[in-house]
Amino acid sequence: MPKSRDIRALPGLKWFSLGFFVYLYLPLLILVIFSFNATKSATVWGGFSLDWYAKALANDDIRRAAWNSLVIATTATVFSTTMATMAALSLTRNKSLPRKPLFNGMLLLPLMVPEIVTAVATLTLFATIGLSLGLGNIIIAHTVFCIPFAYLPIRARLQGMDESLETAARDLYASKWATLRFVTLPLLAPGIVSGAMLAFIISIDDFIITLMVAEAGSTTLPIYIYSLVRIGITPEVNAVSTVLLIISIFFVTLSYLVEKRGKF
Amino acid sequence: MRDESLTPAIQAIDICKSYPGSPPVEALKNESLSINDNEFFTLLGPSGCGKTTLLRLIAGFEDLTSGELRLYGEDISSMPPEKRPINTVFQHYALFPHMTVVENVAFGLRRRGTDVSQAQKTALEMLDLVQMSQFANRRPSQLSGGQQQRVSLARALAPHPKVLLLDEPLSALDLKLRQSMRTELKRLQRETGITFVFVTHDQEEALSMSDRIAVMSAGRVQQIASPSEIYEQPRNRFVADFIGDANFFQGKVTHQNGNTARFRISPEIEIAARTENTPPAGDVTLFVRPEKLDLLTSATSETLPGDVREISYLGNTTDYAIDLRNGPSIVVRSENHHNGDALALPGDAVHVGIDPSAVRVLEA
């Protein structure tokens, strides 16, 4: 094989990258494969079967946990995306708002605060004010930490949007509200959808904060999986995890496609 | 009802616009001007002269710092843009990418309360006017720059505004398209009878289309006049310099005879200029366009001797930079005839003929 003459090619990078991807995806691949195992072992292959999926589906606890997760993630997504959209609109479009970088930083800071700190702080707050709304507690906590995730793609979309489009709408007899409804929001939609998907994924997958604030009966899927693993890994756990993985991949792909399609 | 053709379309009274900062930026300084009904009015000036600010103030995108703006006599100073019967053609078109061409054009009509079918009908008529009806159902992204510009024109004209503002609409188009759009804009203005306010930094555009031009610089209007008056009788040095090319001289009047005065522009050189009124006694600035000078090979009583320093060939004309003997240098522009050979080469001794009627005395 002739040596590459491409000046941008770095020797050895190909094998390094390959190793990286194997490290990243091999465990996931094994998890998925063993979810189809016919025997009760999570490490020794015993033939193909869908029994574990059937078993997981028939398990009332799993179904309840999955339902809880869906309710929490959906509600938290709606709330956090709405708030993130409003925040992005005022931080990119309101000319007279002072100290925008400060507010922007404050919005994004939760991304960097260790989750365990947020979890303890939230738990303390809820305990102090005696908040006990069942799933409501988790929804409130999730809404809060989902806001910065939803905010990022929405803000990016707004910043890339030509402000003269909104000016043109005002020029063509559209009031502020009509401009928002007919021009800003339709153009912002891909950003909003993308932000919502991200919020949904973050919420459905959250463990630490949920574990802290969840009351009895508000078990979510990640917490239930954790409790199963503590008893011992069975292919049932693999099956549930695979379903969760597929949901995540589905939403991330959708978010990517929406953003790609909506390019100006 | 008031006869609108007699009232100025736009009247600006002592308008100021400054942007906060330290020190505040004064984009417009106490300007007053009137734009007539059914006029093609151009705001011309270099970037940062305040022409776009003035346009945005008229459109309502910016608030006045002080002063008053009137539209056919009505005070519109604090009216939001959606209430002003004024539409804008934006520099980068600003077409709504999520709507089709016809939806874009119908947008203004719909927001004004016209019902769907009527708005659709008018929008199609407007697209017809700019020869874009075959693209009605395309998206703006599927059109070329020139086509987008036409759609943007149709969109702004569709609600039949009282005044149409055009913010350097041709600057993003290539040369040929720009030239054909000039004729097109002039035609649209004539056919619709709408007052056009056109902003540009391109003097050719301004000269070829306008009924009147306001030349602006540093937040002030320097001169408002017809294109030929702006070119032939610029009021000050800025206008003379910004529009076309010019030779400037500093001089003192030596004597005057009727409406012709003689000015000393260097210890040994005097030139004559036609003057309407008595020129001031002190230093004045004289100016003469390069194409109004004659390049001669033999001397007469009214010519000045000089040596050609360099020549620049410009296609239909050639510029000769000439150092006058014991005087300043001067540029003579001469049309190229026949085979395009130069009249003189660098180093040649020549004579420059200056007709007194071509020389003008400028204000300060």
Side-chain angles (χ1 to χ4, degrees), chain A residues 35-68:
Chain A
S35 72
F36 298 107
N37 200 355
T39 64
K40 208 175 155 51
S41 168
T43 45
V44 181
W45 184 249
F48 181 85
S49 96
L50 290 170
D51 286 357
W52 297 108
Y53 284 90
K55 204 174 167 212
L57 211 62
N59 184 330
D60 278 345
D61 289 341
I62 290 181
R63 281 162 62 173
R64 204 172 306 118
W67 178 247
N68 283 347

Side-chain angles (χ1 to χ4, degrees), chain B residues 131-204:
Chain B
Q131 290 125 40
M132 285 295 293
S133 31
Q134 70 271 39
F135 300 107
N137 294 315
R138 297 250 186 114
R139 295 269 165 168
S141 57
Q142 295 168 299
L143 304 179
S144 71
Q147 292 170 332
Q148 289 188 41
Q149 189 54 274
R150 283 164 185 276
V151 175
S152 147
L153 258 167
R155 185 179 70 172
L157 284 169
H160 207 85
K162 290 189 171 165
V163 174
L164 185 78
L165 307 176
L166 302 106
D167 186 9
E168 309 215 16
L170 308 183
S171 62
L173 305 178
D174 62 53
L175 184 68
K176 282 276 173 223
L177 207 52
R178 215 152 57 211
Q179 282 166 344
S180 71
M181 280 301 281
R182 282 185 205 158
T183 338
E184 182 88 7
L185 282 175
K186 192 70 195 151
R187 174 183 70 87
L188 284 172
Q189 197 270 323
R190 230 182 10 249
E191 283 179 15
T192 58
I194 294 171
T195 307
F196 276 33
V197 181
F198 186 89
V199 160
T200 185
H201 61 265
D202 184 318
Q203 44 160 313
E204 243 182 77

Side-chain angles (χ1 to χ4, degrees), chain B residues 86-102:
Chain B
I86 297 175
N87 291 146
T88 309
V89 176
F90 292 86
Q91 187 173 4
H92 299 292
Y93 326 130
L95 296 175
F96 306 124
H98 58 301
M99 299 180 196
T100 61
V101 164
V102 67

Side-chain angles (χ1 to χ4, degrees), chain A residues 159-176:
Chain A
Q159 281 175 336
M161 220 163 96
D162 186 359
E163 263 184 74
S164 69
L165 294 173
E166 286 149 288
T167 312
R170 296 291 303 280
D171 188 62
L172 292 161
Y173 314 105
S175 63
K176 283 184 182 178

Side-chain angles (χ1 to χ4, degrees), chain A residues 141-220:
Chain A
H142 279 212
T143 300
V144 172
F145 72 74
C146 282
I147 288 174
F149 289 97
Y151 172 72
L152 278 175
I154 297 172
R155 185 189 61 161
R157 179 84 184 170
L158 261 177
Q159 281 175 336
M161 220 163 96
D162 186 359
E163 263 184 74
S164 69
L165 294 173
E166 286 149 288
T167 312
R170 296 291 303 280
D171 188 62
L172 292 161
Y173 314 105
S175 63
K176 283 184 182 178
W177 286 110
T179 302
L180 187 69
R181 156 140 169 46
F182 294 110
V183 176
T184 315
L185 285 181
L187 289 172
L188 194 53
I192 295 176
V193 171
S194 167
M197 308 263 182
L198 216 60
F200 186 86
I201 294 301
I202 298 296
S203 165
I204 207 152
D205 158 75
D206 181 73
F207 179 74
I208 300 177
I209 292 176
T210 314
L211 186 69
M212 288 280 185
V213 300
E215 298 172 323
S218 342
T219 304
T220 62

Side-chain angles (χ1 to χ4, degrees), chain A residues 55-98:
Chain A
K55 204 174 167 212
L57 211 62
N59 184 330
D60 278 345
D61 289 341
I62 290 181
R63 281 162 62 173
R64 204 172 306 118
W67 178 247
N68 283 347
S69 276
L70 267 175
V71 169
I72 293 164
T74 311
T75 323
T77 299
V78 171
F79 287 150
S80 62
T81 311
T82 308
M83 284 187 233
T85 306
M86 293 194 284
L89 278 171
S90 79
L91 281 174
T92 53
R93 289 298 189 261
N94 186 352
K95 294 277 173 292
S96 54
L97 188 73

